[in-house]
Amino acid sequence: MRLVIARCTVDYIGRLSAHLPLATRLVILKADSSVSIHADDRAFKPLNWMNPPCKLREEEGTWTVTHGKTGEKLVLTMEEIIHDSSHELGVDPGLIKDGVEAHLQELLAEHITTLGAGWTLVRREYMTAIGPVDILCRDHTGATVAVELKRRAGIDAVEQLTRYLELMNRDPLLAPVSGILAAQAIAPQAKTLAEDRGIRCVTLDYDELRGIERNDTLF
């Protein structure tokens, strides 16, 4: 990860245009090639960003970030670079799930046909360059599906799954990969965003899944 603090202006050139006037900002360049630009006053949400795949071209006084598929651009005009450092973070193990969420993942993996008849499990905790996908499976046609599992899913869960899908769909051995957001409860805003991105939402009944497990132990 590369962290740059700079006095700069930022122009977004694409379907819409946007301009950030001269100010001191934090620019984060991640190993997945994404770029985000932050102020010091709005928690985690960036002022502007570019999802991968991206390419950065650094010229004197100007940085141009170009999206590899859409051609959209972020143009940073650098007046002063105050700090520029790079750090190797390594592979992130992902969020450690609580007992219920971990058990949900185990149950859903064991009974993957809950998502559809003829579905098969590839593996749990499928590792990618940006973290583990909870469940990787195949639907009845053999197409790859990535499942992100939460107890309560919000917009951040949709964003997380979107990043996984963007990365995995660049792998010709997996693509095309579709996504499912599975949770005990899904926020309405998350459902709207997921549906807009072609992600299927599934509400899980923990007690029902536990009932399936109990019934299996009887035979």
Side-chain angles (χ1 to χ4, degrees):
M1 179 182 292
R2 184 179 177 187
L3 305 176
V4 178
I5 299 175
R7 281 181 51 79
C8 61
T9 63
V10 183
D11 289 281
Y12 172 80
I13 303 169
R15 290 165 292 179
L16 301 172
S17 60
H19 174 74
L20 296 174
L22 183 65
T24 301
R25 300 187 174 93
L26 168 65
V27 182
I28 300 177
L29 303 97
K30 294 188 177 181
D32 64 356
S33 80
S34 66
V35 178
S36 57
I37 298 147
H38 299 259
D40 199 21
D41 66 345
R42 54 183 64 205
F44 63 88
K45 187 174 181 180
L47 296 166
N48 215 325
W49 67 93
M50 189 75 76
N51 288 327
C54 302
K55 184 176 181 180
L56 170 64
R57 186 177 78 250
E58 296 183 42
E59 298 175 320
E60 186 174 356
T62 304
W63 292 12
T64 304
V65 182
T66 305
H67 194 274
K69 293 181 179 178
T70 66
E72 295 170 310
K73 295 182 179 181
L74 281 175
V75 179
L76 291 74
T77 303
M78 301 294 200
E79 180 174 285
E80 178 187 7
I81 295 178
I82 301 167
H83 174 86
D84 188 347
S85 64
S86 296
H87 308 271
E88 181 59 53
L89 303 186
V91 176
D92 191 280
L95 183 67
I96 303 301
K97 301 179 185 299
D98 65 26
V100 172
E101 191 169 319
H103 196 207
L104 268 174
Q105 184 192 109
E106 179 183 341
L107 288 170
L108 187 58
E110 290 178 359
H111 305 286
I112 199 67
T113 52
T114 301
L115 300 177
W119 287 45
T120 57
L121 175 70
V122 176
R123 66 168 298 166
R124 294 169 54 193
E125 299 290 335
Y126 179 85
M127 185 58 67
T128 74
I130 57 174
V133 174
D134 288 330
I135 294 176
L136 190 69
C137 56
R138 297 192 184 278
D139 66 16
H140 66 285
T141 69
T144 309
V145 183
V147 181
E148 180 62 28
L149 195 145
K150 303 289 185 186
R151 288 188 65 185
R152 295 176 179 83
I155 287 178
D156 56 339
V158 182
E159 296 290 0
Q160 182 180 1
L161 181 53
T162 298
R163 291 193 294 271
Y164 287 143
L165 292 173
E166 287 177 346
L167 180 65
M168 295 170 74
N169 272 301
R170 289 154 58 185
D171 185 342
L173 297 178
L174 295 175
V177 185
S178 60
I180 290 180
L181 178 61
Q184 290 178 278
I186 303 175
Q189 302 93 328
K191 283 186 178 180
T192 300
L193 181 60
E195 290 168 0
D196 182 67
R197 295 183 178 180
I199 294 171
R200 174 185 163 196
C201 292
V202 174
T203 302
L204 298 174
D205 187 321
Y206 181 51
D207 291 332
E208 183 178 324
L209 283 171
R210 291 180 70 193
I212 294 173
E213 181 185 43
R214 284 194 297 269
N215 290 337
D216 283 354
T217 63
L218 298 177
F219 300 97

